[in-house]
Amino acid sequence: MDRTKILLDENDMPKQWYNILADLPVEPPLNPATREPMNPKDLEPIFAKELIKQEISSERYITIPEEVREIYKLWRPSPLYRAHRLEKVLGTPARIYYKNEGVSPAGSHKPNTAIAQAYYNMKEGTERISTETGAGQWGSALSLSCNYFDIECKVYMVRSSYYQKPYRKSLINLWGANVVPSPSPDTQFGRKILEMYPDTTGSLGIAISEAIEDAALNDNTKYALGSVLNHTCLHQTVVGLETQKQFEMTEDYPDIVIGCCGGGSNLAGVSLPYIRDNIAGKTNIRIIAVEPSACPSLTGGKFEYDFGDMAQMTPLLKMYTLGSGFIPPAIHAGGLRYHGASPIVSKLVADKLMEARAYHQVEVFDAAVTFARSEGIAPAPESSHAIKAAIDEAIKCKQTGQEKTILFNLSGHGHFDMGSYDKYFSGDLSNE
Ligand SMILES: *Cc1c(COP(=O)(O)O)cnc(C)c1O
């Protein structure tokens, strides 16, 4: 009988991350004032030096520090599942596998980079880290990580989520960070916005601006970002590298690799090791990025230099973007509501090394329910975009009789998203 769970011994966890910049250089970030490539030194007040180094490194493999691997071992290697029950429900000859990143303490892939970022900051003497969070996934992952390295953590959480999704806020508190609704009275930018728009619901753009200001004005404080940047994609490659070892324990190997895309980090994490092999001419695996139709940067945006935030304070990044002023509708996959996409993922799509597609949220929740009722796991709405694409590919296999092997990344569980599921079942979910 084929196995259901493919488990790797913790000593077989990868010892290095894969840096795709060695095989696929991307265009550098630009200084917004001069439009010249950024001088890495200019980023030092904001980011830990080692992370800046990794951001532009062309070394193919970067060693995962032993202290980071020790913490990874709390949940890594994460299980690779063969979705036997989903295959049966779909009646497909395809073989579907998923990597379950929902088993981390924070419930998503985000601690893979949060732990590494907190570690390098600790090494460099950072006493405090500031960050923003939308629905709270990143804030909780960073709070967990700062706790392990005795770093104070300040999270600016978008005001509407702070009040509408109080349990992620509780989780951030549980691991010891200080979380405030953004805009907050704690920064100049926050005070200015509060004065102008006292009733604002806040936005990720405002929260980013507050967190960066906090790091820029406080000597003992650095800033951390949970996605988009090259070093976040680097740290997530532990996901894809593990799956390659896990597939060695089966008779199968993926023909198709799928991930959902907000900023692009979990997609990069699961797919970059396979893209490495495609670039080397060893394999010819299809890679599919899946985004919401309501925020379609890869399928509807332009590939150009743009700001990472709404206040236009960040360096300019070459990426697929809907414009830094784009405000996406309030869809339930909060983690996918970003106007841009990682420069690495953008370059892969532009060079046709990766496909991209978009789905509406109702069809995504249909797929989530099919998955929950077959495999048992309640998926995050973000991850359900990848599930939808995997189901569509499996149905295509049924129509054509092809026995393909499909791998998707289950980036997180949906235990904090039950309000969204309630809306879906009461028919209140709109198809923006
Ligand atoms: C944050 C998040 C995402 C989106 O971020 P990426 O950087 O695009 O991976 C996807 N899934 C889950 C569960 C998340 O928490």
Side-chain angles (χ1 to χ4, degrees):
M1 172 66 187
D2 285 332
R3 319 168 62 146
T4 299
K5 281 199 300 304
I6 298 102
L7 300 172
L8 209 57
D9 187 87
E10 65 183 32
N11 295 313
D12 293 330
M13 192 200 307
K15 296 195 164 59
Q16 297 173 314
W17 294 299
Y18 164 59
N19 176 21
I20 197 168
L21 298 181
D23 297 312
L24 180 102
V26 301
E27 285 172 82
L30 301 185
N31 182 316
T34 61
R35 290 205 147 245
E36 294 292 322
M38 280 300 280
N39 179 347
K41 279 243 167 294
D42 296 343
L43 295 170
E44 286 181 10
I46 307 288
F47 288 106
K49 288 196 190 77
E50 179 61 28
L51 297 170
I52 299 170
K53 201 171 129 201
Q54 292 181 357
E55 188 63 19
I56 54 177
S57 168
S58 52
E59 232 176 296
R60 185 167 284 108
Y61 294 98
I62 295 179
T63 299
I64 306 175
E66 203 43 49
E67 284 164 87
V68 171
R69 290 182 82 242
E70 281 304 314
I71 296 177
Y72 277 179
K73 282 180 187 171
L74 292 174
W75 73 95
R76 306 211 69 85
S78 65
L80 177 71
Y81 281 80
R82 170 86 185 270
H84 289 294
R85 289 170 188 275
L86 177 62
E87 289 169 18
K88 206 163 167 195
V89 164
L90 299 175
T92 177
R95 304 151 95 75
I96 305 175
Y97 288 84
Y98 58 96
K99 180 72 163 164
N100 187 2
E101 289 297 306
V103 297
S104 85
S108 77
H109 65 287
K110 288 194 172 78
N112 296 331
T113 184
I115 296 285
Q117 293 191 43
Y119 168 80
Y120 290 120
N121 272 286
M122 176 276 292
K123 278 296 211 203
E124 293 175 25
T126 304
E127 293 170 358
R128 199 171 158 270
I129 297 181
S130 63
T131 199
E132 74 287 335
T133 195
Q137 288 105 323
W138 171 242
S140 53
L142 192 66
S143 179
L144 166 83
S145 307
C146 284
N147 165 63
Y148 281 123
F149 295 109
D150 284 327
I151 298 173
E152 235 183 274
C153 180
K154 172 78 174 263
V155 180
Y156 295 88
M157 182 167 184
V158 175
R159 192 195 249 177
S160 53
S161 311
Y162 185 93
Y163 293 110
Q164 282 166 16
K165 303 200 166 171
Y167 294 129
R168 285 240 174 239
K169 177 193 71 186
S170 313
L171 207 48
I172 296 171
N173 278 324
L174 172 61
W175 284 311
N178 175 12
V179 51
V180 293
S182 164
S184 77
D186 302 0
T187 63
Q188 291 169 23
F189 189 74
R191 288 191 290 275
K192 192 172 113 190
I193 298 285
L194 282 175
E195 208 168 283
M196 288 161 61
Y197 313 101
D199 298 325
T200 178
T201 53
S203 72
L204 209 49
I206 295 169
I208 295 177
S209 305
E210 286 204 279
I212 293 180
E213 180 191 314
D214 187 325
L217 296 185
N218 291 301
D219 272 351
N220 68 347
T221 303
K222 300 275 190 241
Y223 168 71
L225 195 62
S227 181
V228 180
L229 297 182
N230 301 340
H231 65 268
T232 68
C233 296
L234 169 76
H235 302 152
Q236 295 296 346
T237 58
V238 66
V239 175
L241 291 166
E242 274 180 13
T243 63
Q244 290 185 323
K245 288 194 173 186
Q246 286 164 312
F247 275 111
E248 282 171 16
M249 300 161 69
T250 74
E251 306 279 288
D252 292 324
Y253 206 71
D255 299 298
I256 304 174
V257 176
I258 300 170
C260 66
C261 185
S265 70
N266 91 85
L267 165 67
V270 71
S271 68
L272 294 184
Y274 294 97
I275 293 174
R276 169 194 64 188
D277 298 345
N278 279 352
I279 292 175
K282 289 186 199 155
T283 50
N284 186 19
I285 298 168
R286 281 176 63 205
I287 315 288
I288 306 175
V290 192
E291 58 184 11
S293 306
C295 192
S297 6
L298 298 173
T299 55
K302 286 197 187 123
F303 188 43
E304 61 188 22
Y305 272 103
D306 193 14
F307 291 97
D309 68 326
M310 196 177 282
Q312 308 202 331
M313 285 167 58
T314 67
L316 292 158
L317 299 176
K318 180 80 182 280
M319 59 183 178
Y320 277 100
T321 174
L322 298 161
S324 59
F326 179 81
I327 301 177
I331 53 162
H332 290 269
L336 305 185
R337 294 177 72 236
Y338 185 63
H339 68 271
S342 129
I344 288 175
V345 166
S346 296
K347 171 91 172 140
L348 289 167
V349 171
D351 288 357
K352 304 212 166 6
L353 293 165
M354 186 186 274
E355 302 166 31
R357 68 173 67 160
Y359 290 113
H360 290 290
Q361 69 175 348
V362 173
E363 57 189 347
V364 165
F365 274 84
D366 292 341
V369 171
T370 302
F371 182 77
R373 291 183 183 176
S374 48
E375 294 298 312
I377 296 172
E382 290 86 355
S383 320
S384 304
H385 287 72
I387 298 175
K388 168 65 179 159
I391 290 179
D392 276 9
E393 290 301 319
I395 290 172
K396 246 186 257 168
C397 287
K398 182 177 176 177
Q399 290 158 348
T400 58
Q402 285 175 304
E403 285 185 30
K404 289 199 174 136
T405 297
I406 300 168
L407 164 67
F408 72 86
N409 195 26
L410 187 72
S411 54
H413 68 62
H415 296 179
F416 291 94
D417 299 285
M418 288 303 143
S420 309
Y421 279 99
D422 285 348
K423 280 206 165 145
Y424 168 80
F425 286 116
S426 59
D428 290 340
L429 214 59
S430 73
N431 235 346
E432 287 199 82

